[in-house]
Amino acid sequence: MKEKEIGELFKETFKDFKAQPSDELWTKISENKNLKAYNVRKKFLNPKTLSFTIGSVGLFVAALFYFISPETKLINQEQHPVTPEYLQTTLIDKDSACLNIQAAMKTEENNHVATSKTRVISTDTKSGEITHQNSSVNKDIADDSQMLPSTPVSITMIAPSTSQDEAIEEFIKPANLNKPTESNLLPIPFSGDPHSALLQYSRDTAVCKNSKVVLFVKNSLNVQWQIGVQATTLEIYPEESAIYYVDVLKPDGKDTTLAIRVDVFDCGLYIPNAFTPNGDGINDQFKVEAPMDITNFTLSIFETSGRLIFNTHNINKGWDGTYEGKKSPSGAYLYIITYTDRIGEKHYEKGQIVLYR
Amino acid sequence: MINEKEIIEGCKAGKEKYQKMLYQHFSSTLMGICMRYAKNTMEAEDILHDSFIKIFVKISSFRGEGALEAWVRQVTVNTAINAYRKKVATGYDLDIDELEESIKDVKVSTTDKTTLNLLLTFINELPDGYRAAFNLYEIDGYSHKEIAEMLGCTPVTVRTQLHKAKLALKKKIETHLKNDLEVL
């Protein structure tokens, strides 16, 4: 029997091969968490359902306003400033300003869409996610500290996502804390109110691919990250955007699940360090790739003697290894690249590129 | 006859009813693929599970330019290769449970001596790397270069693996024929 015959025998045999998966497999697939979340998201993006949802959520908000407003007054009369229960801090390992600004931009976007997102996730009725969305709004308010008294409005905006009782509970809690707990004695950022900082955890973050991120939860009695780590901090080098879920035991003894979103994107240019202009179609040009929008791009290439041999403002144009129609010899060349990234910061990069023939 | 367009639209809208229809239509074909790429039925079902999740989530990017079947097949093969690569990356090897499982599988299929079952057993028994290369090249018709990219190795390695896979299969077939003759 020859090798070729073996290939043909198997090909012929398995051309239309079918097998029956076990009956339980469909159940397993249909109950998959990711798929369910996806289906829910799709349904809510459907224009028909969307208008219906917006309508019903509107009604719900109105109803909640009606029910909650007397209590709001009560709280204000009792001189209990309503402050966010959850406060968070961003941890971005790289301290470059660019990153921080990007992170801030990202978070802003997140907050803008916070209401719609909450609605989507809410059908899963995970209190952690809801709490977290609440907190991202709270954070906004904490930043604009003079806005504190208006907090109830913001919280009730989010309230439709959770059951009515839960929403009210979350909302009233800060004012109801009569007995001091240990965590109340800890130093608290953002606010002078000792009732405000019970549980702290990393806020949603945006980072560059593969850079270090440390997520944390403070003042929790037990912290279990759902990726299988039991520690108050989680050090990750994410390659893809993801939501990290963490089960915590709040100082008040209640279990909850928090969700911390880490958005990951490519930053910086991809600059190859060698190329081979031999016409084989592979790596024939020295070309820079930018994962994001950049402007004012300039690429200049110099011989080691200092003579400028290539210059372009078009990022899609690469150097093919020729100068005035003549092939440049193998060896090292220098490049200088300048560009402005999408947040307006100017960059200047220089380095060496090797040409192999 | 199912209405493909309707099902695709339904799946794109995240409707479970249509997802189930798609599943029922393709599950046996795709299970056939998974059985070839996996070591045993359990592993095959894991791959099939992941493939369908991927199919449902990614179907919004399916433009309908090619046949749906070709696309779902492609997704399944890719999922199988991903599973293999993950296995390699984690240094995961046969554990005791699985060893027993595969021995059991062999027993089942040697009692049922149809050519297909026998050949499937032979494929299942190949080392993971050989099996992936053999399936991709001989049955699913990928080129050496494509396979090299998928498996993350050089085309030369692919050729070597293919050659070794075929040698191993040849040996298995010959031994089997010899045993059969002895029985007779």
Side-chain angles (χ1 to χ4, degrees), chain A residues 273-278 283-284 328-331 333 353-357:
Chain A
N273 52 22
F275 74 122
T276 55
N278 51 11
N283 204 8
D284 273 348
S328 300
S330 296
Y333 294 81
I353 165 103
V354 180
L355 190 165
Y356 289 107
R357 285 217 181 266

Side-chain angles (χ1 to χ4, degrees), chain A residues 135-302:
Chain A
S135 64
S136 78
V137 174
N138 287 346
K139 170 64 182 54
D140 254 358
I141 292 147
D143 282 345
D144 308 335
S145 45
Q146 76 273 33
M147 281 179 63
L148 279 177
S150 67
T151 315
V153 180
S154 299
I155 292 181
T156 47
M157 287 297 283
I158 299 298
S161 61
T162 160
S163 83
Q164 196 176 331
D165 288 346
E166 229 176 347
I168 294 170
E169 190 194 27
E170 289 287 342
F171 159 64
I172 297 177
K173 213 184 283 157
N176 279 354
L177 288 172
N178 296 325
K179 51 176 185 198
T181 61
E182 206 181 304
S183 56
N184 284 351
L185 304 172
L186 291 170
I188 297 136
F190 298 130
S191 159
D193 179 17
H195 300 316
S196 60
L198 285 179
L199 187 66
Q200 296 173 22
Y201 58 101
S202 313
R203 62 189 269 195
D204 294 354
T205 304
V207 293
C208 289
K209 204 170 178 175
N210 289 325
S211 59
K212 186 169 105 173
V213 187
V214 181
L215 303 179
F216 68 90
V217 177
K218 277 185 192 164
N219 301 343
S220 165
L221 303 176
N222 186 22
V223 182
Q224 176 71 48
W225 300 87
Q226 288 192 1
I227 59 168
V229 177
Q230 192 169 20
T232 52
T233 59
L234 177 71
E235 195 178 304
I236 46 172
Y237 296 82
E239 282 182 14
E240 288 178 336
S241 300
I243 297 174
Y244 293 82
Y245 295 101
V246 53
D247 298 322
V248 299
L249 188 57
K250 290 196 283 187
D252 61 8
K254 282 187 186 159
D255 278 329
T256 185
T257 303
L258 310 172
I260 302 169
R261 187 190 171 92
V262 177
D263 283 308
V264 176
F265 43 92
D266 278 324
C267 0
L269 296 185
Y270 170 67
I271 305 168
N273 52 22
F275 74 122
T276 55
N278 51 11
D280 65 353
I282 304 164
N283 204 8
D284 273 348
Q285 285 195 342
F286 172 62
K287 213 170 129 187
V288 176
E289 279 169 35
M292 51 183 183
D293 299 335
I294 59 170
T295 48
N296 298 334
F297 174 80
T298 313
L299 164 65
S300 312
I301 293 171
F302 302 87

